[in-house]
Amino acid sequence: MTIKELLYKVPILATAGDMEAVINHLTLDSRNVGPGSLFIAVRGTVTDGHTFIDTAVRQGASAILCEEMPVNPEPAVTYVQVQDSAYTQGLIAATFYGHPSRKLNLVGVTGTNGKTSTATLLFRLFRALGYRVGLISTVQNQIDDTVIPATHTTPDVITTNALLTDMLKHGCTHCFMEVSSHAVVQQRIAGLHFAGGIFTNITHDHLDFHGTFDNYIRAKKGFFDQLPASAFALVNIDDKRGMVMLQNTAARKESFSLQTLATFKGKLLADSLFGLHMEIDGKEVWFKLIGRFNAYNILGVYGAAVLLGEDPEEVLTQLSGLMPPPGRFEQVVSDEQIVGIVDYAHTPDALQNVLETIDGLRQADEQIITIVGCGGNRDAAKRPIMAEIACKFSDKVILTSDNPRDEDPMAILEQMQAGVPPIDFKKTLTLPDRREAIQKAVSMANPHDIILVAGKGHETYQEINGVKHDFDDRQVLLEAFANVKSGSVDTP
Ligand SMILES: CC(=O)N[C@H]1[C@@H](OP(=O)(O)OP(=O)(O)OC[C@H]2O[C@@H](n3ccc(=O)[nH]c3=O)[C@H](O)[C@@H]2O)O[C@H](CO)[C@@H](O)[C@@H]1O[C@H](C)C(=O)N[C@@H](C)C(=O)N[C@H](CCC(=O)O)C(=O)O
Ligand SMILES: Nc1ncnc2c1ncn2[C@@H]1O[C@H](COP(=O)(O)OP(=O)(O)OP(=O)(O)O)[C@@H](O)[C@H]1O
Ligand SMILES: N[C@H](CCC[C@H](N)C(=O)O)C(=O)O
Ligand SMILES: [Mg+2]
């Protein structure tokens, strides 16, 4: 495709060089540039892509898209200046790949918690309904049975268009994708055509990136503001920001609720360790998912499926058989009946939901032992809050590391400790080594006690100073259970 063809409908400020130059590769990263590449210079949070234009040219880039023309342009290279290269990237990627998002039903899910759960349940539901389906999620991307590892919750828009193209080649009719707030702000969904958008909820997270809660809300709303009139906008109206999401959307406004009148109204009849019993649209159904928060995920999934034209009864039948995604309330039980629960709760709201669920489900005087940490290079304000919530609902708490990234693990833990109420000091331990923390919890547990290992869920690594070390909470729990059994861990 020539650069001129690629720029169809793109607002341009200036150009230099041959507009017939042929482009066979798009990239944001100078390190991936080769002959035939169009390098898109984007201003980032750490560095500015414009500083890599010369490197891209040296590596043989055929064209450069930028917001600022270089002082000494290379005559053999084509330059295009635009107002916003991150946004333009979306338009170009759609043209380059032939608008794959218009050729299937692309549904985006946004919200602080529940995106992976909702998108994965939709993916599994539509497969069970007999479709070929794609998934773009934190845990993994998927085209039917083929798993493609994910690096982000929402990939950059070039990757998404490439994934959608592969999905079409495999005959997919639907793709369910998570839309993170970072992605909305960084234009990672620009130029994508959505058939629908779902809002799960909004609570405290990512204030490091967005600055204020209002900006965070605005970012989520930005997704709905971009939806076309042909799409549906389905929001949880039990969340007080649900209606805000609908304020300026051109899409069809739909809602779901457990508490009030809504397009899709559900009632939670019972909630146990075996699952949820709900009434939806007048029908009583059992589901295998655990926790009230999953009742919301189920309703959102049900609503989206019906809005996509599926038969409500068939949807409920298939939904009732579905299991939660990996690392979401995943249970690992020891031979002595100590119950380990691995859950991806890494926000105050998710942690509180999961602990309330566990507290509501415990039978008698079982102890709840919570292991929790907070990510480095991420929102620091949530650290003391999460420690406080862990203390409120647990008999014992072990504060530990969860991807310290470039931060000092002890500095993160000290910020968490600041949230521990003095009365709870005696039930709180701090062990920066996560393996040691899990072993300690297991050594303290009696049969039927519940150990919540929060924050990492499906993750199979611990990221320290840019290096991802193998670490899987489920595996480490199993090992600790085995060690206790063989007597190699001290029991108190
Ligand atoms: C904070 C953030 O979102 N960062 C994302 C952003 O990077 P950035 O703005 O820091 O980029 P930068 O390093 O400043 O570089 C600017 C530009 O120069 C380019 N560059 C850079 C170096 C070089 O040698 N050559 C070069 O061309 C880069 O490709 C980039 O285009 O743009 C990059 C390219 O798309 C992303 O990979 C990167 O994700 C980082 C790795 C990340 O950790 N992001 C997390 C916070 C994130 O996005 N999380 C959300 C989920 C959140 C949630 O819901 O919980 C997600 O969607 O995954
Ligand atoms: N609808 C919900 N409301 C509140 N909490 C939820 C909901 N669904 C799941 N959770 C809790 O949040 C955790 C993360 O869930 P999930 O992975 O589905 O969210 P996410 O929005 O994809 O997160 P991320 O932003 O990291 O991609 C779960 O492990 C569970 O503890
Ligand atoms: N999508 C989230 C995941 C957080 C998971 C938690 N284990 C952590 O590392 O903080 C983020 O990138 O902020
Ligand atoms: Mg997710």
Side-chain angles (χ1 to χ4, degrees):
M1 197 173 268
T2 64
I3 183 84
K4 192 166 133 200
E5 287 166 329
L6 267 183
L7 291 171
Y8 178 66
K9 286 200 173 171
V10 171
I12 295 167
L13 297 179
T15 65
D18 181 8
M19 297 304 282
E20 298 298 329
V22 174
I23 301 300
N24 53 34
H25 175 236
L26 308 178
T27 184
L28 285 174
D29 193 331
S30 60
R31 289 160 288 200
N32 300 331
V33 165
S37 293
L38 168 67
F39 172 65
I40 304 167
V42 172
R43 295 184 207 281
T45 53
V46 178
T47 171
D48 182 350
H50 290 79
T51 56
F52 300 101
I53 291 180
D54 288 346
T55 316
V57 168
R58 272 198 304 279
Q59 283 181 217
S62 299
I64 306 291
L65 187 103
C66 50
E67 293 173 6
E68 220 177 289
M69 285 289 201
V71 189
N72 295 312
E74 174 64 45
V77 175
T78 309
Y79 295 84
V80 179
Q81 187 188 11
V82 294
Q83 187 74 42
D84 181 344
S85 42
Y87 174 69
T88 308
Q89 174 202 180
L91 305 186
I92 287 181
T95 304
F96 184 79
Y97 286 97
H99 299 278
S101 61
R102 293 186 192 162
K103 298 175 187 160
L104 43 63
N105 291 297
L106 177 64
V107 176
V109 187
T110 199
T112 306
N113 294 306
K115 297 184 296 297
T116 299
S117 305
T118 304
T120 307
L121 288 170
L122 276 165
F123 169 80
R124 292 182 182 169
L125 170 68
F126 274 74
R127 290 199 71 192
L129 291 169
Y131 295 99
R132 293 197 174 170
V133 195
L135 172 70
I136 298 179
S137 87
T138 315
V139 178
Q140 60 197 26
N141 302 320
Q142 228 175 307
I143 303 177
D144 266 348
D145 282 327
T146 309
V147 172
I148 302 134
T151 55
H152 288 76
T153 288
T154 311
D156 68 75
V157 71
I158 301 170
T159 306
T160 297
N161 275 280
L163 277 167
L164 293 172
T165 303
D166 284 346
M167 289 173 192
L168 286 173
K169 279 189 197 138
H170 281 78
C172 292
T173 50
H174 297 75
C175 171
F176 300 102
M177 79 178 280
E178 290 186 50
V179 175
S180 67
S181 54
H182 291 75
V184 178
V185 172
Q186 293 172 355
Q187 305 282 8
R188 288 185 225 161
I189 54 165
L192 295 176
H193 178 87
F194 286 92
I198 306 173
F199 168 75
T200 59
N201 49 61
I202 188 159
T203 55
H204 187 127
D205 204 9
H206 302 308
L207 296 194
D208 56 323
F209 182 76
H210 298 291
T212 64
F213 195 56
D214 272 352
N215 287 346
Y216 182 38
I217 295 171
R218 216 166 290 134
K220 298 268 179 221
K221 181 174 172 287
F223 170 47
F224 295 93
D225 293 351
Q226 292 176 36
L227 289 178
S230 56
F232 63 79
L234 174 62
V235 302
N236 169 10
I237 46 165
D238 291 350
D239 185 293
K240 65 175 179 207
R241 267 62 184 224
M243 292 310 282
V244 175
M245 299 296 139
L246 297 180
Q247 265 166 9
N248 302 94
T249 189
R252 220 161 63 245
K253 297 171 177 156
E254 310 284 359
S255 56
F256 61 97
S257 168
L258 282 179
Q259 288 163 14
T260 182
L261 279 180
T263 326
F264 303 99
K265 172 93 173 69
K267 202 162 144 192
L268 184 55
L269 303 174
D271 175 7
S272 79
L273 255 187
F274 303 101
L276 296 168
H277 184 197
M278 293 176 69
E279 187 191 299
I280 299 180
D281 277 351
K283 290 170 207 81
E284 279 191 32
V285 191
W286 279 95
F287 299 96
K288 293 181 175 164
L289 309 180
I290 297 160
R292 184 182 164 83
F293 54 90
N294 266 320
Y296 281 101
N297 296 336
I298 287 168
L299 262 185
V301 168
Y302 169 76
V306 172
L307 291 170
L308 286 166
E310 297 308 309
D311 173 59
E313 266 195 53
E314 184 59 12
V315 168
L316 288 177
T317 306
Q318 296 301 339
L319 247 179
S320 72
L322 296 183
M323 299 296 289
R328 273 69 184 166
F329 218 93
E330 197 170 326
Q331 296 183 47
V332 182
V333 182
S334 80
D335 289 347
E336 290 77 24
Q337 300 302 306
I338 301 169
V339 181
I341 295 173
V342 173
D343 189 88
Y344 196 47
H346 55 269
T347 64
D349 179 58
L351 186 63
Q352 173 147 347
N353 285 333
V354 166
L355 279 165
E356 275 175 353
T357 299
I358 295 173
D359 192 33
L361 299 177
R362 70 167 143 179
Q363 303 277 311
D365 52 0
E366 300 103 341
Q367 298 187 90
I368 299 176
I369 306 174
T370 296
I371 299 169
V372 64
C374 287
N377 302 29
R378 293 287 187 275
D379 192 347
K382 69 180 175 184
R383 295 172 185 169
I385 308 173
M386 287 179 66
E388 189 182 351
I389 291 169
C391 289
K392 183 170 170 199
F393 292 96
S394 318
D395 301 288
K396 295 195 173 94
V397 173
I398 307 183
L399 303 178
T400 190
S401 302
D402 178 349
N403 296 330
R405 301 191 174 88
D406 305 322
E407 287 193 60
D408 170 10
M410 265 328 286
I412 299 174
L413 285 165
E414 278 159 20
Q415 291 170 38
M416 290 189 78
Q417 283 167 342
V420 176
I423 192 169
D424 291 330
F425 284 165
K426 60 182 179 305
K427 70 176 183 194
T428 310
L429 263 177
T430 299
L431 294 173
D433 181 328
R434 195 168 177 100
R435 185 181 305 275
E436 216 178 295
I438 293 176
Q439 287 168 345
K440 184 71 186 170
V442 169
S443 75
M444 294 190 302
N446 298 313
H448 305 289
D449 282 354
I450 302 170
I451 301 176
L452 170 67
V453 190
K456 295 185 75 64
H458 63 281
E459 289 177 359
T460 51
Y461 57 82
Q462 178 80 299
E463 186 178 335
I464 306 170
N465 288 325
V467 181
K468 287 186 172 172
H469 303 268
D470 283 349
F471 198 98
D472 182 331
D473 282 346
R474 297 156 295 190
Q475 199 57 42
V476 175
L477 249 182
L478 277 173
E479 282 160 19
F481 284 153
N483 286 344
V484 155
K485 207 172 165 206
S486 67
S488 57
V489 168
D490 293 339
T491 38

